[in-house]
Protein backbone atom coordinates (compact mmCIF):
# COMPACT_ATOMS: atom_id res chain seq x y z
CA UNK A 1 0.00 0.00 0.00
CA UNK A 2 2.77 2.36 0.95
CA UNK A 3 4.61 1.67 -2.29
CA UNK A 4 1.46 2.24 -4.28
CA UNK A 5 1.07 5.65 -2.63
CA UNK A 6 4.62 6.64 -3.59
CA UNK A 7 4.07 5.38 -7.08
CA UNK A 8 0.93 7.53 -7.40
CA UNK A 9 2.71 10.66 -6.14
CA UNK A 10 5.60 10.13 -8.54
CA UNK A 11 3.27 9.70 -11.47
CA UNK A 12 1.40 12.87 -10.54
CA UNK A 13 4.64 14.86 -10.34
CA UNK A 14 5.75 13.63 -13.74
CA UNK A 15 2.37 14.53 -15.21
CA UNK A 16 2.51 18.10 -13.78
CA UNK A 17 6.07 18.57 -15.07
CA UNK A 18 4.99 17.43 -18.50
CA UNK A 19 2.07 19.88 -18.55
CA UNK A 20 4.36 22.72 -17.44
CA UNK A 21 6.79 21.98 -20.26
CA UNK A 22 3.93 21.88 -22.73
CA UNK A 23 2.60 25.25 -21.46
CA UNK A 24 6.04 26.83 -21.72
CA UNK A 25 6.45 25.48 -25.24
CA UNK A 26 3.01 26.76 -26.16
CA UNK A 27 3.86 30.23 -24.78
CA UNK A 28 7.13 30.29 -26.75
CA UNK A 29 5.31 29.24 -29.90
CA UNK A 30 2.66 31.91 -29.28
CA UNK A 31 5.35 34.55 -28.76
CA UNK A 32 7.19 33.47 -31.91
CA UNK A 33 3.94 33.52 -33.88
CA UNK A 34 3.13 36.99 -32.55
CA UNK A 35 6.60 38.20 -33.48
CA UNK A 36 6.25 36.79 -36.99
CA UNK A 37 2.86 38.49 -37.43
CA UNK A 38 4.30 41.80 -36.23
CA UNK A 39 7.29 41.46 -38.56
CA UNK A 40 4.99 40.66 -41.49
CA UNK A 41 2.77 43.64 -40.64
CA UNK A 42 5.76 45.99 -40.35
CA UNK A 43 7.16 44.68 -43.62
CA UNK A 44 3.78 45.14 -45.31
CA UNK A 45 3.46 48.69 -43.97
CA UNK A 46 6.95 49.59 -45.20
CA UNK A 47 6.16 48.16 -48.63
CA UNK A 48 2.87 50.11 -48.76
CA UNK A 49 4.68 53.31 -47.76
CA UNK A 50 7.36 52.73 -50.41
CA UNK A 51 4.70 52.07 -53.05
CA UNK A 52 2.81 55.16 -51.92
CA UNK A 53 5.95 57.30 -52.21
CA UNK A 54 6.63 55.83 -55.65
CA UNK A 55 3.08 56.58 -56.77
CA UNK A 56 3.37 60.14 -55.44
CA UNK A 57 6.57 60.62 -57.38
CA UNK A 58 4.95 59.17 -60.49
CA UNK A 59 1.90 61.40 -60.04
CA UNK A 60 4.00 64.50 -59.49
CA UNK A 61 3.92 66.40 -62.76
CA UNK A 62 6.72 68.83 -63.46
CA UNK A 63 5.31 71.83 -65.31
CA UNK A 64 7.75 73.13 -67.88
CA UNK A 65 7.61 76.75 -68.89
CA UNK A 66 6.48 77.11 -72.50
CA UNK A 67 9.28 78.07 -74.82
CA UNK A 68 8.97 81.48 -76.40
CA UNK A 69 8.32 81.31 -80.08
CA UNK A 70 11.22 82.63 -82.09
CA UNK A 71 10.41 85.83 -83.95
CA UNK A 72 11.06 85.85 -87.66
CA UNK A 73 12.47 89.27 -88.43
CA UNK A 74 11.35 90.61 -91.78
CA UNK A 75 12.61 94.20 -91.69
CA UNK A 76 15.68 96.23 -90.76
CA UNK A 77 16.55 99.89 -90.33
CA UNK A 78 18.36 101.47 -93.28
CA UNK A 79 21.30 102.99 -91.39
CA UNK A 80 21.77 105.71 -94.01
CA UNK A 81 18.30 107.23 -94.32
CA UNK A 82 16.48 105.45 -91.44
CA UNK A 83 13.70 103.99 -93.53
CA UNK A 84 12.36 100.53 -92.69
CA UNK A 85 13.18 98.05 -95.43
CA UNK A 86 12.66 94.31 -95.96
CA UNK A 87 15.66 92.18 -95.03
CA UNK A 88 17.38 90.71 -98.05
CA UNK A 89 15.68 87.43 -98.85
CA UNK A 90 12.47 88.42 -97.11
CA UNK A 91 9.18 88.49 -98.98
CA UNK A 92 7.83 91.22 -96.69
CA UNK A 93 5.83 94.08 -98.20
CA UNK A 94 7.96 97.20 -98.73
CA UNK A 95 4.90 99.52 -98.75
CA UNK A 96 5.04 100.14 -94.99
CA UNK A 97 5.26 103.06 -92.61
CA UNK A 98 6.52 103.07 -89.03
CA UNK A 99 4.80 105.17 -86.35
CA UNK A 100 7.03 106.45 -83.52
CA UNK A 101 6.30 108.69 -80.53
CA UNK A 102 9.08 110.45 -78.61
CA UNK A 103 9.24 112.02 -75.13
CA UNK A 104 7.05 109.36 -73.53
CA UNK A 105 5.40 108.78 -71.16
CA UNK A 106 4.76 112.44 -70.32
CA UNK A 107 1.06 113.32 -70.50
CA UNK A 108 -0.56 111.77 -73.55
CA UNK A 109 1.40 108.62 -74.37
CA UNK A 110 -1.02 106.26 -72.64
CA UNK A 111 -4.01 107.77 -74.47
CA UNK A 112 -2.08 107.56 -77.74
CA UNK A 113 -1.41 103.88 -77.06
CA UNK A 114 -5.10 103.24 -76.38
CA UNK A 115 -6.00 105.03 -79.62
CA UNK A 116 -3.54 102.88 -81.55
CA UNK A 117 -5.06 99.72 -80.07
CA UNK A 118 -8.52 100.88 -81.12
CA UNK A 119 -7.22 101.23 -84.69
CA UNK A 120 -5.17 98.01 -84.62
CA UNK A 121 -1.94 99.92 -85.27
CA UNK A 122 1.59 99.35 -83.97
CA UNK A 123 4.20 101.88 -82.90
CA UNK A 124 7.40 102.47 -80.95
CA UNK A 125 7.33 104.70 -77.87
CA UNK A 126 10.73 106.27 -77.28
CA UNK A 127 10.96 107.07 -73.58
CA UNK A 128 12.93 109.49 -71.45
CA UNK A 129 14.03 108.05 -68.14
CA UNK A 130 13.11 111.27 -66.31
CA UNK A 131 9.43 110.38 -66.84
CA UNK A 132 9.96 107.03 -65.12
CA UNK A 133 11.16 108.41 -61.80
CA UNK A 134 7.69 108.45 -60.21
CA UNK A 135 5.04 105.77 -59.78
CA UNK A 136 2.67 107.37 -62.28
CA UNK A 137 5.26 107.27 -65.05
CA UNK A 138 6.23 103.70 -64.22
CA UNK A 139 2.61 102.58 -64.26
CA UNK A 140 1.97 104.28 -67.60
CA UNK A 141 5.01 102.68 -69.20
CA UNK A 142 4.07 99.25 -67.82
CA UNK A 143 0.56 99.60 -69.22
CA UNK A 144 1.83 100.74 -72.64
CA UNK A 145 4.27 97.82 -72.77
CA UNK A 146 1.60 95.34 -71.66
CA UNK A 147 -0.56 96.49 -74.57
CA UNK A 148 2.16 95.08 -76.82
CA UNK A 149 4.04 98.22 -77.84
CA UNK A 150 7.78 98.36 -78.44
CA UNK A 151 9.68 100.61 -76.02
CA UNK A 152 12.70 102.53 -77.30
CA UNK A 153 15.44 104.51 -75.52
CA UNK A 154 15.42 108.31 -75.90
CA UNK A 155 17.95 109.06 -73.10
CA UNK A 156 17.39 110.08 -69.51
CA UNK A 157 16.97 113.85 -69.71
CA UNK A 158 16.75 114.56 -73.47
CA UNK A 159 20.22 116.10 -73.41
CA UNK A 160 22.11 117.05 -76.55
CA UNK A 161 24.69 114.27 -76.60
CA UNK A 162 27.46 116.17 -78.44
CA UNK A 163 27.44 118.78 -75.68
CA UNK A 164 28.14 116.40 -72.78
CA UNK A 165 31.01 114.11 -71.79
CA UNK A 166 31.21 110.44 -72.69
CA UNK A 167 30.62 109.59 -69.04
CA UNK A 168 27.39 111.61 -69.08
CA UNK A 169 26.37 110.06 -72.40
CA UNK A 170 26.80 106.64 -70.81
CA UNK A 171 24.55 107.65 -67.91
CA UNK A 172 21.93 109.12 -70.24
CA UNK A 173 21.67 105.94 -72.31
CA UNK A 174 22.35 103.05 -69.94
CA UNK A 175 20.35 104.44 -67.01
CA UNK A 176 17.26 104.69 -69.21
CA UNK A 177 17.66 101.14 -70.52
CA UNK A 178 18.08 99.88 -66.95
CA UNK A 179 14.88 101.64 -65.85
CA UNK A 180 12.90 100.32 -68.80
CA UNK A 181 14.09 96.78 -68.08
CA UNK A 182 13.21 97.09 -64.41
CA UNK A 183 9.66 98.16 -65.29
CA UNK A 184 8.91 96.01 -68.33
CA UNK A 185 11.33 93.10 -68.00
CA UNK A 186 12.89 93.92 -71.39
CA UNK A 187 15.71 96.20 -72.47
CA UNK A 188 15.08 98.57 -75.41
CA UNK A 189 16.09 97.32 -78.85
CA UNK A 190 16.15 100.76 -80.51
CA UNK A 191 17.86 104.04 -79.66
CA UNK A 192 16.91 107.51 -80.80
CA UNK A 193 19.20 110.37 -79.83
CA UNK A 194 17.56 113.67 -78.84
CA UNK A 195 17.42 116.03 -81.84
CA UNK A 196 18.88 113.15 -83.88
CA UNK A 197 22.34 114.12 -82.61
CA UNK A 198 24.47 111.03 -82.14
CA UNK A 199 28.16 111.05 -81.36
CA UNK A 200 30.59 108.35 -82.37
CA UNK A 201 30.62 107.27 -78.73
CA UNK A 202 26.82 107.20 -78.31
CA UNK A 203 26.41 105.25 -81.55
CA UNK A 204 28.95 102.63 -80.47
CA UNK A 205 27.47 102.45 -76.97
CA UNK A 206 23.94 101.97 -78.29
CA UNK A 207 25.10 99.09 -80.45
CA UNK A 208 27.01 97.56 -77.53
CA UNK A 209 23.76 97.75 -75.57
CA UNK A 210 22.00 95.77 -78.32
CA UNK A 211 20.13 98.70 -79.84
CA UNK A 212 19.79 99.73 -83.46
CA UNK A 213 20.08 103.46 -84.14
CA UNK A 214 16.82 104.94 -85.32
CA UNK A 215 16.35 108.55 -86.32
CA UNK A 216 13.45 109.35 -88.67
CA UNK A 217 12.50 110.34 -92.22
CA UNK A 218 10.12 113.18 -91.35
CA UNK A 219 8.05 114.80 -88.62
CA UNK A 220 6.23 118.09 -87.99
CA UNK A 221 4.38 118.16 -84.69
CA UNK A 222 6.90 120.45 -82.93
CA UNK A 223 6.44 123.21 -85.52
CA UNK A 224 3.92 125.92 -84.65
CA UNK A 225 2.06 125.56 -87.97
CA UNK A 226 1.25 121.94 -87.14
CA UNK A 227 0.24 122.19 -83.51
CA UNK A 228 -3.34 121.28 -84.33
CA UNK A 229 -4.80 117.94 -85.33
CA UNK A 230 -6.10 118.83 -88.81
CA UNK A 231 -2.92 120.46 -90.06
CA UNK A 232 -0.74 117.75 -88.57
CA UNK A 233 -2.70 114.80 -89.96
CA UNK A 234 -2.78 116.44 -93.40
CA UNK A 235 0.98 117.01 -93.63
CA UNK A 236 1.88 113.60 -92.17
CA UNK A 237 -0.13 111.81 -94.85
CA UNK A 238 0.27 114.13 -97.85
CA UNK A 239 3.92 115.19 -97.62
CA UNK A 240 6.11 114.15 -100.56
CA UNK A 241 8.44 112.62 -97.96
CA UNK A 242 6.03 109.73 -97.53
CA UNK A 243 7.81 106.86 -99.28
CA UNK A 244 7.89 103.09 -98.72
CA UNK A 245 9.52 102.46 -95.35
CA UNK A 246 8.82 105.98 -94.07
CA UNK A 247 9.76 106.46 -90.43
CA UNK A 248 7.28 108.96 -88.94
CA UNK A 249 8.44 111.06 -85.98
CA UNK A 250 5.78 112.26 -83.55
CA UNK A 251 5.69 113.25 -79.89
CA UNK A 252 3.75 112.94 -76.66
CA UNK A 253 1.53 115.95 -77.46
CA UNK A 254 -2.19 116.64 -77.24
CA UNK A 255 -2.57 117.61 -80.92
CA UNK A 256 -0.63 114.51 -81.94
CA UNK A 257 -3.01 112.34 -79.92
CA UNK A 258 -5.95 113.99 -81.69
CA UNK A 259 -4.34 113.57 -85.13
CA UNK A 260 -3.35 109.92 -84.72
CA UNK A 261 -6.62 108.32 -85.96
CA UNK A 262 -6.60 110.42 -89.14
CA UNK A 263 -2.91 109.67 -89.75
CA UNK A 264 -3.54 105.93 -89.51
CA UNK A 265 -6.58 106.09 -91.78
CA UNK A 266 -4.79 108.33 -94.29
CA UNK A 267 -1.80 106.01 -94.53
CA UNK A 268 -4.04 103.00 -95.07
CA UNK A 269 -6.02 104.81 -97.74
CA UNK A 270 -2.72 105.19 -99.58
CA UNK A 271 -2.12 101.46 -99.23
CA UNK A 272 0.54 101.75 -96.53
CA UNK A 273 0.70 99.04 -93.92
CA UNK A 274 1.57 100.12 -90.37
CA UNK A 275 4.61 97.96 -89.71
CA UNK A 276 4.92 96.01 -86.46
CA UNK A 277 8.23 96.97 -84.77
CA UNK A 278 8.52 93.42 -83.43
CA UNK A 279 9.37 92.38 -86.99
CA UNK A 280 12.28 94.84 -87.22
CA UNK A 281 15.61 93.37 -86.16
CA UNK A 282 17.93 95.31 -83.92
CA UNK A 283 21.69 94.99 -83.44
CA UNK A 284 21.27 92.09 -81.02
CA UNK A 285 19.27 90.24 -83.69
CA UNK A 286 21.72 90.68 -86.56
CA UNK A 287 22.77 87.03 -86.42
CA UNK A 288 19.16 85.90 -86.88
CA UNK A 289 18.40 84.52 -90.32
CA UNK A 290 15.21 85.11 -92.18
CA UNK A 291 13.27 81.87 -92.48
Amino acid sequence: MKNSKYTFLLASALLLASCGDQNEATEVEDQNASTEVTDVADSTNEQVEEESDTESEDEEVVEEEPEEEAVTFEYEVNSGIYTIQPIEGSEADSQVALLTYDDAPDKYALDIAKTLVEHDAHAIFFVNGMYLENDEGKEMLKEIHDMGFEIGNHTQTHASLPSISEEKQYEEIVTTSDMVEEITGERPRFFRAPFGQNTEYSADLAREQGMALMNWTYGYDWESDYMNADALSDIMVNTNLLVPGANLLMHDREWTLEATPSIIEGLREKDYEIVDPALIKSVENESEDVE
Side-chain angles (χ1 to χ4, degrees):
M1 175 69 82
K2 189 174 183 178
N3 290 334
S4 299
K5 182 177 181 180
Y6 287 144
T7 301
F8 175 76
L9 291 175
L10 180 59
S12 297
L14 291 173
L15 179 61
L16 289 174
S18 174
C19 290
D21 291 341
Q22 289 179 358
N23 289 337
E24 288 179 2
T26 301
E27 288 177 1
V28 170
E29 289 176 0
D30 290 342
Q31 289 177 358
N32 290 339
S34 176
T35 300
E36 290 177 1
V37 170
T38 301
D39 290 342
V40 170
D42 290 343
S43 176
T44 302
N45 289 337
E46 289 177 1
Q47 183 176 358
V48 169
E49 289 177 0
E50 289 177 359
E51 291 177 355
S52 177
D53 290 342
T54 302
E55 290 176 358
S56 297
E57 290 176 1
D58 291 339
E59 292 174 358
E60 191 176 314
V61 178
V62 178
E63 295 185 2
E64 296 182 358
E65 295 184 3
E67 295 183 2
E68 294 184 3
E69 294 185 6
V71 176
T72 300
F73 297 100
E74 299 180 358
Y75 296 92
E76 62 187 355
V77 182
N78 183 311
S79 60
I81 57 177
Y82 297 104
T83 54
I84 307 304
Q85 61 190 25
I87 297 172
E88 184 177 355
S90 169
E91 297 181 357
D93 187 0
S94 62
Q95 186 84 355
V96 298
L98 174 66
L99 304 182
T100 69
Y101 296 85
D102 285 10
D103 303 347
D106 186 5
K107 297 179 181 179
Y108 303 100
L110 182 55
D111 289 331
I112 291 171
K114 292 177 180 178
T115 300
L116 291 166
V117 170
E118 291 173 0
H119 290 79
D120 193 24
H122 303 281
I124 301 177
F125 286 85
F126 282 96
V127 305
N128 295 119
M130 62 186 176
Y131 295 126
L132 308 177
E133 294 175 349
N134 56 59
D135 290 340
E136 183 180 5
K138 292 175 182 177
E139 290 170 3
M140 283 197 291
L141 180 64
K142 182 70 164 59
E143 190 168 350
I144 291 169
H145 175 266
D146 289 348
M147 290 180 189
F149 291 103
E150 188 90 28
I151 306 301
N153 184 324
H154 196 39
T155 73
Q156 187 73 13
T157 66
H158 205 276
S160 173
L161 297 179
S163 67
I164 60 178
S165 67
E166 291 184 355
E167 181 180 3
K168 289 294 184 182
Q169 291 179 57
Y170 182 92
E171 292 177 3
E172 286 282 336
I173 296 170
V174 177
T175 300
T176 299
S177 286
D178 288 346
M179 295 180 76
V180 169
E181 183 179 25
E182 183 178 353
I183 296 167
T184 69
E186 297 178 354
R187 295 184 77 77
R189 297 192 305 119
F190 302 102
F191 175 71
R192 175 172 283 166
F195 317 109
Q197 298 173 331
N198 270 299
T199 66
E200 184 177 349
Y201 176 79
S202 70
D204 289 342
L205 177 60
R207 295 189 186 98
E208 289 173 6
Q209 291 287 312
M211 296 183 288
L213 301 180
M214 183 179 286
N215 279 1
W216 57 88
T217 54
Y218 68 86
Y220 298 93
D221 67 351
W222 62 92
E223 297 181 12
S224 58
D225 289 343
Y226 302 107
M227 290 183 180
N228 70 81
D230 291 339
L232 180 59
S233 59
D234 180 67
I235 190 67
M236 292 297 285
V237 172
N238 296 312
T239 176
N240 58 8
L241 298 177
L242 176 60
V243 296
N247 190 333
L248 281 59
L249 170 62
M250 294 174 282
H251 294 79
D252 184 326
R253 304 287 186 270
E254 183 176 12
W255 51 87
T256 306
L257 164 63
E258 294 170 353
T260 291
S262 297
I263 293 171
I264 295 170
E265 292 168 6
L267 291 170
R268 286 173 173 165
E269 286 174 0
K270 291 194 171 188
D271 295 325
Y272 277 84
E273 179 183 349
I274 310 300
V275 67
D276 183 354
L279 300 178
I280 306 172
K281 80 176 179 182
S282 62
V283 173
E284 64 180 4
N285 312 125
E286 285 188 351
S287 61
E288 299 285 347
D289 293 327
V290 177
E291 296 180 356

